[in-house]
Coordinates of all heavy atoms in Angstrom, one line a residue:
Chain L
E275 N 104.3 96.9 111.3 CA 103.6 98.1 110.9 C 104.0 99.3 111.8 O 104.4 99.1 112.9 CB 102.1 97.9 111.1 CG 101.5 96.9 110.2 CD 101.3 97.4 108.7 OE1 101.2 98.6 108.5 OE2 101.4 96.5 107.8
F286 N 98.7 93.1 95.7 CA 97.4 93.4 95.2 C 96.6 94.4 96.1 O 96.1 95.4 95.6 CB 96.5 92.1 95.1 CG 97.0 91.2 94.0 CD1 97.4 89.9 94.3 CD2 97.1 91.6 92.7 CE1 97.9 89.0 93.4 CE2 97.6 90.7 91.7 CZ 98.0 89.5 92.1
D287 N 96.3 94.0 97.4 CA 95.3 94.7 98.1 C 95.8 94.9 99.6 O 95.8 93.9 100.3 CB 94.0 94.0 98.1 CG 92.9 94.7 98.9 OD1 93.0 95.9 99.0 OD2 92.1 94.0 99.5
E288 N 96.2 96.1 99.9 CA 96.8 96.3 101.2 C 95.9 96.0 102.4 O 94.7 96.4 102.4 CB 97.2 97.8 101.3 CG 98.1 98.1 102.5 CD 98.7 99.5 102.4 OE1 98.2 100.3 101.6 OE2 99.6 99.8 103.2
G289 N 96.4 95.2 103.3 CA 95.6 94.9 104.5 C 94.7 93.7 104.4 O 94.1 93.4 105.4
S290 N 94.5 93.2 103.2 CA 93.6 92.0 103.1 C 94.5 90.7 103.1 O 95.7 90.8 103.3 CB 92.8 92.0 101.8 OG 93.7 91.8 100.7
T291 N 93.9 89.6 103.0 CA 94.6 88.3 103.0 C 94.5 87.6 101.7 O 93.4 87.4 101.2 CB 94.0 87.4 104.1 OG1 94.2 88.0 105.4 CG2 94.8 86.1 104.2
I292 N 95.6 87.3 101.1 CA 95.6 86.8 99.7 C 96.6 85.7 99.5 O 97.7 85.7 100.1 CB 96.1 88.0 98.8 CG1 94.9 89.0 98.6 CG2 96.5 87.5 97.4 CD1 95.2 90.1 97.7
S293 N 96.2 84.6 98.8 CA 97.1 83.7 98.3 C 97.1 83.7 96.8 O 96.0 83.9 96.2 CB 96.9 82.3 98.9 OG 95.9 81.7 98.2
W294 N 98.2 83.6 96.2 CA 98.3 83.8 94.7 C 99.3 82.8 94.1 O 100.4 82.7 94.5 CB 98.8 85.3 94.5 CG 99.0 85.6 93.1 CD1 98.2 85.4 92.0 CD2 100.2 86.4 92.5 NE1 98.7 86.0 90.9 CE2 99.9 86.6 91.2 CE3 101.3 86.9 93.1 CZ2 100.8 87.3 90.4 CZ3 102.2 87.6 92.3 CH2 102.0 87.8 90.9
I295 N 98.8 82.1 93.2 CA 99.7 81.2 92.4 C 99.8 81.8 91.0 O 98.9 81.7 90.2 CB 99.1 79.8 92.3 CG1 98.9 79.2 93.8 CG2 99.9 78.9 91.5 CD1 98.1 77.9 93.8
G298 N 100.0 80.0 85.7 CA 98.7 79.8 85.1 C 98.7 80.0 83.6 O 99.6 79.5 82.9
R299 N 97.8 80.8 83.2 CA 97.7 81.0 81.7 C 98.8 82.0 81.2 O 99.2 81.9 80.1 CB 96.3 81.6 81.4 CG 95.2 80.6 81.7 CD 94.0 80.8 80.9 NE 93.0 79.8 81.3 CZ 91.9 80.0 81.9 NH1 91.6 81.2 82.4 NH2 91.1 79.0 82.2
P314 N 97.7 90.4 106.9 CA 98.0 90.9 108.2 C 98.1 89.8 109.2 O 97.5 88.8 109.1 CB 96.8 91.8 108.5 CG 95.7 91.2 107.8 CD 96.3 90.5 106.6
E321 N 101.6 94.4 115.4 CA 100.9 94.2 114.1 C 102.0 94.1 113.0 O 102.8 95.0 112.9 CB 100.0 95.5 113.9 CG 98.8 95.2 113.1 CD 97.9 96.4 112.9 OE1 98.0 97.4 113.7 OE2 97.1 96.4 112.0
V322 N 101.8 93.1 112.2 CA 102.8 93.0 111.1 C 102.0 92.7 109.8 O 100.8 92.3 109.8 CB 103.8 91.8 111.3 CG1 104.7 92.1 112.5 CG2 103.0 90.5 111.5
S323 N 102.6 92.8 108.6 CA 102.1 92.3 107.4 C 103.1 91.3 106.9 O 104.3 91.6 106.9 CB 102.0 93.5 106.4 OG 100.9 94.3 106.7
Y339 N 107.0 89.6 86.3 CA 105.5 89.4 86.4 C 105.0 89.6 87.8 O 104.0 90.1 88.1 CB 105.2 88.0 85.9 CG 103.8 87.7 85.7 CD1 103.1 88.3 84.6 CD2 103.1 86.9 86.6 CE1 101.7 88.1 84.5 CE2 101.7 86.7 86.4 CZ 101.0 87.3 85.4 OH 99.7 87.1 85.2
H343 N 102.9 93.1 90.3 CA 101.7 93.0 91.2 C 102.1 93.3 92.7 O 101.2 93.3 93.5 CB 101.2 91.6 91.1 CG 100.6 91.3 89.8 ND1 99.5 91.9 89.3 CD2 100.9 90.4 88.8 CE1 99.2 91.5 88.1 NE2 100.1 90.5 87.8
Chain D
E275 N 85.9 79.7 78.7 CA 86.8 80.5 77.9 C 86.5 80.3 76.4 O 85.9 79.3 76.0 CB 88.3 80.0 78.1 CG 88.8 80.2 79.5 CD 89.1 81.7 79.8 OE1 89.4 82.5 78.9 OE2 89.0 82.1 81.0
F286 N 92.2 90.5 90.3 CA 93.6 90.9 90.3 C 94.4 90.5 89.1 O 95.0 91.4 88.5 CB 94.2 90.3 91.6 CG 93.7 90.8 92.9 CD1 93.1 90.0 93.8 CD2 93.8 92.2 93.2 CE1 92.6 90.5 95.0 CE2 93.3 92.7 94.4 CZ 92.7 91.8 95.3
D287 N 94.5 89.2 88.8 CA 95.5 88.8 87.9 C 95.0 87.7 87.0 O 94.8 86.5 87.5 CB 96.8 88.3 88.6 CG 97.9 87.8 87.7 OD1 98.0 88.3 86.6 OD2 98.6 86.8 88.1
G289 N 94.2 84.7 84.8 CA 94.8 83.4 84.5 C 95.6 82.8 85.6 O 96.1 81.6 85.5
S290 N 95.8 83.5 86.7 CA 96.5 82.9 87.9 C 95.5 82.4 88.9 O 94.3 82.4 88.6 CB 97.4 84.0 88.5 OG 96.6 84.9 89.2
T291 N 95.9 81.8 90.0 CA 95.0 81.3 91.0 C 95.2 82.1 92.3 O 96.3 82.3 92.8 CB 95.4 79.8 91.3 OG1 95.3 79.1 90.1 CG2 94.5 79.3 92.3
I292 N 94.1 82.6 92.8 CA 94.1 83.6 93.9 C 93.0 83.3 94.9 O 91.9 83.0 94.5 CB 93.9 85.0 93.3 CG1 95.1 85.5 92.6 CG2 93.5 86.0 94.4 CD1 95.1 86.9 92.0
S293 N 93.3 83.4 96.1 CA 92.3 83.4 97.1 C 92.5 84.7 97.9 O 93.6 85.2 98.1 CB 92.3 82.2 98.1 OG 93.3 82.4 99.0
W294 N 91.4 85.4 98.2 CA 91.4 86.7 98.8 C 90.4 86.9 99.8 O 89.2 86.6 99.6 CB 91.1 87.7 97.6 CG 91.1 89.2 98.0 CD1 91.9 89.9 98.7 CD2 90.1 90.1 97.5 NE1 91.5 91.2 98.8 CE2 90.4 91.4 98.1 CE3 89.0 90.0 96.7 CZ2 89.7 92.5 97.8 CZ3 88.2 91.2 96.4 CH2 88.6 92.4 97.0
I295 N 90.8 87.3 101.0 CA 89.9 87.6 102.1 C 90.0 89.2 102.2 O 90.9 89.7 102.8 CB 90.4 86.9 103.4 CG1 90.3 85.4 103.2 CG2 89.5 87.3 104.6 CD1 91.0 84.6 104.3
G298 N 89.9 92.9 106.5 CA 91.3 93.1 107.1 C 91.4 94.5 107.6 O 90.5 95.0 108.3
R299 N 92.4 95.2 107.2 CA 92.6 96.5 107.7 C 91.7 97.6 107.1 O 91.4 98.6 107.7 CB 94.1 96.9 107.5 CG 95.0 96.0 108.3 CD 96.4 96.7 108.6 NE 97.1 95.7 109.4 CZ 98.2 95.1 109.0 NH1 98.6 95.3 107.7 NH2 98.9 94.2 109.8
K300 N 91.3 97.3 105.9 CA 90.5 98.3 105.2 C 89.0 98.0 105.2 O 88.2 98.9 105.3 CB 90.9 98.5 103.7 CG 92.3 99.2 103.7 CD 92.7 99.5 102.2 CE 94.0 100.2 102.1 NZ 94.5 100.2 100.8
P314 N 92.0 79.4 87.1 CA 91.6 78.6 85.9 C 91.3 77.2 86.3 O 91.7 76.7 87.3 CB 92.9 78.6 85.1 CG 94.0 78.8 86.0 CD 93.4 79.6 87.2
E321 N 88.0 74.5 79.1 CA 88.7 75.5 79.9 C 87.8 76.5 80.4 O 87.0 77.1 79.7 CB 89.8 76.2 79.0 CG 91.0 76.6 79.7 CD 92.1 77.2 78.8 OE1 92.0 77.0 77.6 OE2 92.9 77.9 79.3
V322 N 87.8 76.7 81.7 CA 87.0 77.7 82.4 C 87.8 78.6 83.3 O 88.9 78.2 83.7 CB 85.8 77.1 83.2 CG1 84.9 76.4 82.2 CG2 86.3 76.2 84.3
S323 N 87.3 79.7 83.7 CA 87.8 80.5 84.8 C 86.7 80.6 85.9 O 85.6 80.8 85.6 CB 88.1 81.9 84.3 OG 89.3 81.9 83.6
Y339 N 84.2 98.0 97.4 CA 85.6 97.6 97.6 C 86.0 96.4 96.8 O 87.1 96.3 96.3 CB 85.8 97.3 99.1 CG 87.2 97.2 99.5 CD1 88.1 98.3 99.6 CD2 87.8 95.9 99.8 CE1 89.4 98.1 100.0 CE2 89.1 95.8 100.2 CZ 89.9 96.9 100.3 OH 91.2 96.7 100.6
H343 N 88.4 95.7 92.7 CA 89.5 94.7 92.4 C 89.1 93.7 91.3 O 89.9 92.8 91.0 CB 89.9 94.0 93.7 CG 90.5 94.9 94.7 ND1 91.7 95.6 94.4 CD2 90.1 95.4 95.9 CE1 92.0 96.3 95.4 NE2 91.1 96.3 96.3

Side-chain angles (χ1 to χ4, degrees):
Chain L
E275 295 287 332
F286 296 118
D287 177 32
E288 194 171 12
S290 73
T291 300
I292 287 182
S293 78
W294 177 45
I295 299 169
R299 297 204 177 109
E321 212 178 341
V322 296
S323 286
Y339 189 74
H343 294 296
Chain D
E275 294 288 331
F286 296 117
D287 177 33
S290 72
T291 301
I292 287 181
S293 78
W294 177 45
I295 300 169
R299 297 204 177 108
K300 289 186 180 167
E321 211 178 342
V322 296
S323 286
Y339 189 73
H343 294 295

